[in-house]
Amino acid sequence: MKVKSIEVRFVSPEEAAEFLKRNFAHQRFLRKHFVKSLVGEMESGRLLPTAEIHVVHLDGQQVMVNGQHTCNAI
């Protein structure tokens, strides 16, 4: 597998909403209790900057394959 680029940065609420529009159809189901837990971590300042959102190119489209819980929390 060839990695073209990796970018580490903060994600705004607007960007998180855009990523959610490209959510991979076969991700695990959204667990609202986990999203609520992440919100609490973010609000308290305890969330480490290691939460990952993975967006890949699949069949010519950008698809978010990891990070739906984090994006929902943002």
Side-chain angles (χ1 to χ4, degrees):
M1 179 169 95
K2 184 178 179 182
V3 176
K4 292 187 179 184
S5 68
I6 296 175
E7 183 178 350
V8 177
R9 62 186 173 89
F10 289 99
V11 175
S12 71
E14 295 79 17
E15 290 172 307
E18 287 299 317
F19 289 148
L20 286 168
K21 290 178 184 176
R22 300 185 212 125
N23 199 12
F24 185 57
H26 300 290
Q27 281 209 49
R28 70 181 82 167
F29 65 94
L30 185 68
R31 295 170 292 161
K32 292 181 182 182
H33 71 278
F34 186 58
V35 173
K36 186 176 179 179
S37 174
L38 287 173
V39 168
E41 293 295 302
M42 289 176 185
E43 289 177 341
S44 70
R46 291 188 310 260
L47 185 73
L48 298 175
T50 56
E52 297 179 6
I53 300 168
H54 298 170
V55 178
V56 301
H57 290 272
L58 182 64
D59 297 328
Q61 301 284 330
Q62 283 190 332
V63 180
M64 181 178 63
V65 295
N66 183 50
Q68 69 173 341
H69 290 88
T70 300
C71 285
N72 274 283
I74 292 171

